[in-house]
Short mmCIF file of all heavy atoms in Angstrom, two decimals:
data_model
loop_
_atom_site.label_atom_id
_atom_site.label_comp_id
_atom_site.label_asym_id
_atom_site.label_seq_id
_atom_site.Cartn_x
_atom_site.Cartn_y
_atom_site.Cartn_z
N TYR A 85 150.53 -55.35 119.12
CA TYR A 85 150.22 -54.06 118.52
C TYR A 85 148.95 -54.16 117.67
O TYR A 85 148.77 -55.12 116.93
CB TYR A 85 151.39 -53.57 117.66
CG TYR A 85 151.30 -52.10 117.32
CD1 TYR A 85 151.62 -51.14 118.26
CD2 TYR A 85 150.85 -51.69 116.06
CE1 TYR A 85 151.53 -49.78 117.95
CE2 TYR A 85 150.76 -50.34 115.75
CZ TYR A 85 151.10 -49.40 116.71
OH TYR A 85 150.99 -48.06 116.40
N ASP A 86 148.08 -53.17 117.80
CA ASP A 86 146.83 -53.11 117.03
C ASP A 86 147.01 -52.12 115.88
O ASP A 86 146.99 -50.91 116.09
CB ASP A 86 145.67 -52.68 117.94
CG ASP A 86 144.32 -52.78 117.24
OD1 ASP A 86 144.28 -52.70 116.00
OD2 ASP A 86 143.30 -52.91 117.95
N TYR A 87 147.20 -52.63 114.67
CA TYR A 87 147.46 -51.77 113.51
C TYR A 87 146.24 -50.94 113.12
O TYR A 87 146.38 -49.87 112.53
CB TYR A 87 147.91 -52.60 112.32
CG TYR A 87 149.24 -53.30 112.54
CD1 TYR A 87 149.28 -54.63 112.92
CD2 TYR A 87 150.43 -52.61 112.38
CE1 TYR A 87 150.49 -55.27 113.13
CE2 TYR A 87 151.65 -53.24 112.58
CZ TYR A 87 151.67 -54.57 112.96
OH TYR A 87 152.87 -55.19 113.17
N THR A 88 145.05 -51.42 113.43
CA THR A 88 143.85 -50.67 113.05
C THR A 88 143.69 -49.42 113.91
O THR A 88 143.12 -48.43 113.46
CB THR A 88 142.59 -51.54 113.19
OG1 THR A 88 142.44 -51.96 114.55
CG2 THR A 88 142.69 -52.77 112.29
N LEU A 89 144.22 -49.45 115.13
CA LEU A 89 144.11 -48.31 116.04
C LEU A 89 145.42 -47.54 116.17
O LEU A 89 145.48 -46.51 116.84
CB LEU A 89 143.66 -48.78 117.43
CG LEU A 89 142.27 -49.44 117.51
CD1 LEU A 89 142.00 -49.92 118.92
CD2 LEU A 89 141.19 -48.45 117.06
N HIS A 90 146.48 -48.04 115.53
CA HIS A 90 147.79 -47.40 115.60
C HIS A 90 148.28 -47.25 117.04
O HIS A 90 148.86 -46.23 117.41
CB HIS A 90 147.77 -46.01 114.94
CG HIS A 90 147.52 -46.04 113.47
ND1 HIS A 90 148.47 -46.39 112.54
CD2 HIS A 90 146.40 -45.75 112.76
CE1 HIS A 90 147.95 -46.31 111.33
NE2 HIS A 90 146.70 -45.93 111.43
N THR A 91 148.07 -48.29 117.85
CA THR A 91 148.59 -48.25 119.21
C THR A 91 148.67 -49.66 119.75
O THR A 91 148.15 -50.61 119.15
CB THR A 91 147.73 -47.37 120.14
OG1 THR A 91 148.46 -47.12 121.36
CG2 THR A 91 146.39 -48.01 120.46
N ARG A 92 149.30 -49.82 120.88
CA ARG A 92 149.44 -51.12 121.51
C ARG A 92 148.12 -51.56 122.10
O ARG A 92 147.41 -50.76 122.71
CB ARG A 92 150.52 -51.05 122.59
CG ARG A 92 151.09 -52.37 123.02
CD ARG A 92 152.26 -52.17 123.95
NE ARG A 92 153.46 -51.70 123.26
CZ ARG A 92 154.60 -51.41 123.87
NH1 ARG A 92 154.69 -51.53 125.19
NH2 ARG A 92 155.65 -51.00 123.18
N SER A 93 147.77 -52.82 121.92
CA SER A 93 146.52 -53.32 122.47
C SER A 93 146.70 -53.68 123.94
O SER A 93 147.80 -53.66 124.48
CB SER A 93 146.04 -54.55 121.68
OG SER A 93 146.78 -55.70 122.06
N ALA A 94 145.59 -54.05 124.58
CA ALA A 94 145.65 -54.44 125.99
C ALA A 94 146.10 -55.88 126.15
O ALA A 94 146.38 -56.33 127.26
CB ALA A 94 144.27 -54.26 126.62
N GLN A 95 146.19 -56.61 125.06
CA GLN A 95 146.59 -58.01 125.10
C GLN A 95 148.11 -58.16 125.17
O GLN A 95 148.85 -57.26 124.78
CB GLN A 95 146.07 -58.75 123.87
CG GLN A 95 144.56 -58.78 123.73
CD GLN A 95 144.15 -59.47 122.44
OE1 GLN A 95 144.76 -59.28 121.39
NE2 GLN A 95 143.11 -60.28 122.52
N VAL A 96 148.53 -59.30 125.66
CA VAL A 96 149.94 -59.69 125.60
C VAL A 96 150.00 -61.14 125.16
O VAL A 96 149.03 -61.88 125.27
CB VAL A 96 150.66 -59.52 126.97
CG1 VAL A 96 150.73 -58.07 127.38
CG2 VAL A 96 150.00 -60.38 128.04
N THR A 97 151.15 -61.54 124.64
CA THR A 97 151.37 -62.93 124.25
C THR A 97 152.50 -63.49 125.11
O THR A 97 153.58 -62.91 125.16
CB THR A 97 151.75 -63.04 122.77
OG1 THR A 97 150.71 -62.49 121.96
CG2 THR A 97 151.99 -64.49 122.37
N VAL A 98 152.24 -64.59 125.78
CA VAL A 98 153.28 -65.22 126.59
C VAL A 98 154.21 -66.01 125.67
O VAL A 98 153.77 -66.84 124.88
CB VAL A 98 152.67 -66.15 127.66
CG1 VAL A 98 153.78 -66.88 128.42
CG2 VAL A 98 151.79 -65.36 128.62
N VAL A 99 155.48 -65.70 125.74
CA VAL A 99 156.50 -66.40 124.95
C VAL A 99 157.42 -67.15 125.89
O VAL A 99 157.98 -66.57 126.82
CB VAL A 99 157.32 -65.40 124.09
CG1 VAL A 99 158.39 -66.14 123.29
CG2 VAL A 99 156.40 -64.61 123.16
N GLU A 100 157.55 -68.45 125.65
CA GLU A 100 158.39 -69.29 126.50
C GLU A 100 159.82 -69.33 125.95
O GLU A 100 160.03 -69.20 124.75
CB GLU A 100 157.83 -70.72 126.54
CG GLU A 100 156.41 -70.83 127.08
CD GLU A 100 156.29 -70.48 128.55
OE1 GLU A 100 157.34 -70.50 129.25
OE2 GLU A 100 155.17 -70.19 129.01
N PRO A 101 160.79 -69.49 126.83
CA PRO A 101 162.19 -69.57 126.36
C PRO A 101 162.41 -70.80 125.49
O PRO A 101 161.83 -71.87 125.76
CB PRO A 101 163.00 -69.64 127.66
CG PRO A 101 162.03 -70.11 128.70
CD PRO A 101 160.69 -69.59 128.29
N ARG A 102 163.19 -70.64 124.47
CA ARG A 102 163.53 -71.74 123.57
C ARG A 102 165.01 -71.66 123.23
O ARG A 102 165.64 -70.61 123.39
CB ARG A 102 162.70 -71.68 122.29
CG ARG A 102 161.21 -71.97 122.46
CD ARG A 102 160.96 -73.44 122.75
NE ARG A 102 159.54 -73.76 122.83
CZ ARG A 102 158.82 -73.74 123.94
NH1 ARG A 102 159.40 -73.37 125.09
NH2 ARG A 102 157.54 -74.07 123.93
N LYS A 103 165.55 -72.74 122.71
CA LYS A 103 166.96 -72.78 122.35
C LYS A 103 167.27 -71.84 121.19
O LYS A 103 168.36 -71.30 121.07
CB LYS A 103 167.35 -74.21 122.00
CG LYS A 103 168.82 -74.52 122.14
CD LYS A 103 169.05 -76.02 122.03
CE LYS A 103 170.50 -76.36 122.33
NZ LYS A 103 170.74 -77.83 122.26
N VAL A 104 166.27 -71.66 120.30
CA VAL A 104 166.42 -70.77 119.15
C VAL A 104 165.31 -69.72 119.19
O VAL A 104 164.13 -70.06 119.36
CB VAL A 104 166.36 -71.55 117.82
CG1 VAL A 104 166.37 -70.59 116.63
CG2 VAL A 104 167.53 -72.51 117.72
N ILE A 105 165.69 -68.46 119.05
CA ILE A 105 164.73 -67.36 118.98
C ILE A 105 164.88 -66.69 117.62
O ILE A 105 165.99 -66.32 117.22
CB ILE A 105 164.97 -66.32 120.09
CG1 ILE A 105 164.80 -66.96 121.47
CG2 ILE A 105 164.01 -65.13 119.95
CD1 ILE A 105 165.22 -66.05 122.62
N LEU A 106 163.76 -66.53 116.91
CA LEU A 106 163.75 -65.78 115.66
C LEU A 106 163.22 -64.39 115.96
O LEU A 106 162.15 -64.24 116.54
CB LEU A 106 162.84 -66.47 114.62
CG LEU A 106 163.13 -67.94 114.30
CD1 LEU A 106 162.10 -68.46 113.29
CD2 LEU A 106 164.54 -68.12 113.77
N LEU A 107 163.97 -63.38 115.57
CA LEU A 107 163.57 -61.99 115.78
C LEU A 107 163.45 -61.31 114.42
O LEU A 107 164.43 -61.19 113.70
CB LEU A 107 164.59 -61.26 116.65
CG LEU A 107 164.38 -59.75 116.82
CD1 LEU A 107 163.05 -59.47 117.51
CD2 LEU A 107 165.54 -59.13 117.58
N GLU A 108 162.24 -60.90 114.07
CA GLU A 108 161.99 -60.34 112.73
C GLU A 108 161.55 -58.89 112.81
O GLU A 108 160.78 -58.51 113.69
CB GLU A 108 160.92 -61.18 112.03
CG GLU A 108 160.64 -60.77 110.61
CD GLU A 108 159.34 -59.98 110.49
OE1 GLU A 108 158.26 -60.57 110.64
OE2 GLU A 108 159.43 -58.76 110.23
N GLY A 109 162.06 -58.06 111.88
CA GLY A 109 161.64 -56.67 111.81
C GLY A 109 162.54 -55.86 110.89
O GLY A 109 163.68 -56.24 110.64
N ILE A 110 162.03 -54.74 110.42
CA ILE A 110 162.78 -53.94 109.45
C ILE A 110 164.07 -53.39 110.03
O ILE A 110 165.05 -53.20 109.31
CB ILE A 110 161.92 -52.78 108.87
CG1 ILE A 110 161.48 -51.82 109.98
CG2 ILE A 110 160.73 -53.31 108.09
CD1 ILE A 110 160.80 -50.55 109.44
N LEU A 111 164.09 -53.15 111.36
CA LEU A 111 165.23 -52.46 111.95
C LEU A 111 165.97 -53.29 113.00
O LEU A 111 166.67 -52.72 113.84
CB LEU A 111 164.77 -51.13 112.57
CG LEU A 111 164.28 -50.08 111.57
CD1 LEU A 111 163.62 -48.91 112.31
CD2 LEU A 111 165.45 -49.57 110.73
N VAL A 112 165.86 -54.61 112.96
CA VAL A 112 166.50 -55.40 114.00
C VAL A 112 168.03 -55.39 113.90
O VAL A 112 168.72 -55.76 114.86
CB VAL A 112 165.99 -56.86 114.05
CG1 VAL A 112 164.50 -56.89 114.37
CG2 VAL A 112 166.29 -57.60 112.76
N LEU A 113 168.56 -54.96 112.76
CA LEU A 113 170.01 -54.84 112.63
C LEU A 113 170.49 -53.40 112.82
O LEU A 113 171.70 -53.14 112.80
CB LEU A 113 170.47 -55.33 111.25
CG LEU A 113 170.15 -56.77 110.88
CD1 LEU A 113 170.75 -57.11 109.52
CD2 LEU A 113 170.64 -57.74 111.93
N ALA A 114 169.56 -52.47 113.02
CA ALA A 114 169.93 -51.05 113.08
C ALA A 114 170.42 -50.62 114.46
O ALA A 114 171.24 -49.71 114.58
CB ALA A 114 168.75 -50.19 112.65
N ASP A 115 169.89 -51.25 115.51
CA ASP A 115 170.27 -50.88 116.88
C ASP A 115 171.48 -51.70 117.31
O ASP A 115 171.45 -52.93 117.29
CB ASP A 115 169.09 -51.14 117.83
CG ASP A 115 169.38 -50.71 119.24
OD1 ASP A 115 169.99 -51.51 119.99
OD2 ASP A 115 169.02 -49.57 119.61
N GLU A 116 172.55 -51.02 117.70
CA GLU A 116 173.80 -51.73 118.03
C GLU A 116 173.63 -52.69 119.19
O GLU A 116 174.14 -53.82 119.16
CB GLU A 116 174.91 -50.72 118.34
CG GLU A 116 176.25 -51.37 118.60
CD GLU A 116 177.36 -50.37 118.87
OE1 GLU A 116 177.06 -49.17 118.99
OE2 GLU A 116 178.53 -50.81 118.97
N ASN A 117 172.91 -52.28 120.23
CA ASN A 117 172.73 -53.15 121.39
C ASN A 117 171.95 -54.40 121.02
O ASN A 117 172.26 -55.50 121.47
CB ASN A 117 172.01 -52.40 122.51
CG ASN A 117 172.85 -51.29 123.10
OD1 ASN A 117 174.06 -51.45 123.27
ND2 ASN A 117 172.23 -50.17 123.42
N LEU A 118 170.93 -54.21 120.17
CA LEU A 118 170.14 -55.35 119.72
C LEU A 118 170.97 -56.25 118.81
O LEU A 118 170.96 -57.48 118.95
CB LEU A 118 168.90 -54.83 118.98
CG LEU A 118 167.82 -55.83 118.59
CD1 LEU A 118 167.33 -56.60 119.81
CD2 LEU A 118 166.66 -55.11 117.92
N ARG A 119 171.70 -55.61 117.92
CA ARG A 119 172.54 -56.36 116.97
C ARG A 119 173.57 -57.22 117.70
O ARG A 119 173.88 -58.34 117.28
CB ARG A 119 173.23 -55.38 116.02
CG ARG A 119 173.85 -56.00 114.79
CD ARG A 119 174.22 -54.94 113.78
NE ARG A 119 175.22 -54.00 114.26
CZ ARG A 119 174.98 -52.69 114.46
NH1 ARG A 119 173.78 -52.18 114.20
NH2 ARG A 119 175.94 -51.90 114.90
N ASN A 120 174.08 -56.71 118.82
CA ASN A 120 175.09 -57.45 119.57
C ASN A 120 174.54 -58.71 120.24
O ASN A 120 175.31 -59.59 120.64
CB ASN A 120 175.74 -56.54 120.62
CG ASN A 120 176.65 -55.50 119.99
OD1 ASN A 120 177.10 -55.65 118.86
ND2 ASN A 120 176.90 -54.42 120.72
N LEU A 121 173.23 -58.79 120.38
CA LEU A 121 172.61 -59.99 120.95
C LEU A 121 172.38 -61.07 119.91
O LEU A 121 172.09 -62.22 120.25
CB LEU A 121 171.26 -59.64 121.60
CG LEU A 121 171.27 -58.98 122.98
CD1 LEU A 121 169.84 -58.74 123.45
CD2 LEU A 121 172.02 -59.85 123.99
N LEU A 122 172.48 -60.71 118.63
CA LEU A 122 172.16 -61.65 117.56
C LEU A 122 173.36 -62.55 117.25
O LEU A 122 174.47 -62.07 117.08
CB LEU A 122 171.75 -60.89 116.30
CG LEU A 122 170.57 -59.92 116.45
CD1 LEU A 122 170.31 -59.19 115.13
CD2 LEU A 122 169.31 -60.65 116.91
N ASP A 123 173.08 -63.84 117.14
CA ASP A 123 174.13 -64.80 116.79
C ASP A 123 174.22 -64.98 115.28
O ASP A 123 175.29 -65.26 114.75
CB ASP A 123 173.83 -66.14 117.46
CG ASP A 123 173.81 -66.04 118.98
OD1 ASP A 123 174.90 -65.95 119.57
OD2 ASP A 123 172.71 -66.01 119.55
N ILE A 124 173.09 -64.85 114.61
CA ILE A 124 173.04 -64.95 113.15
C ILE A 124 172.20 -63.78 112.63
O ILE A 124 171.08 -63.55 113.11
CB ILE A 124 172.43 -66.29 112.68
CG1 ILE A 124 173.24 -67.48 113.22
CG2 ILE A 124 172.34 -66.35 111.15
CD1 ILE A 124 172.59 -68.83 112.96
#
Side-chain angles (χ1 to χ4, degrees):
Y85 196 77
D86 187 335
Y87 296 99
T88 61
L89 297 177
H90 295 284
T91 193
R92 199 173 286 178
S93 77
Q95 298 177 320
V96 295
T97 301
V98 176
V99 179
E100 301 293 341
R102 292 289 184 269
K103 203 169 187 179
V104 174
I105 299 172
L106 305 178
L107 174 62
E108 184 257 289
I110 61 172
L111 293 170
V112 298
L113 301 183
D115 183 275
E116 184 178 7
N117 293 321
L118 189 56
R119 194 167 62 246
N120 289 339
L121 282 181
L122 303 177
D123 299 284
I124 301 172

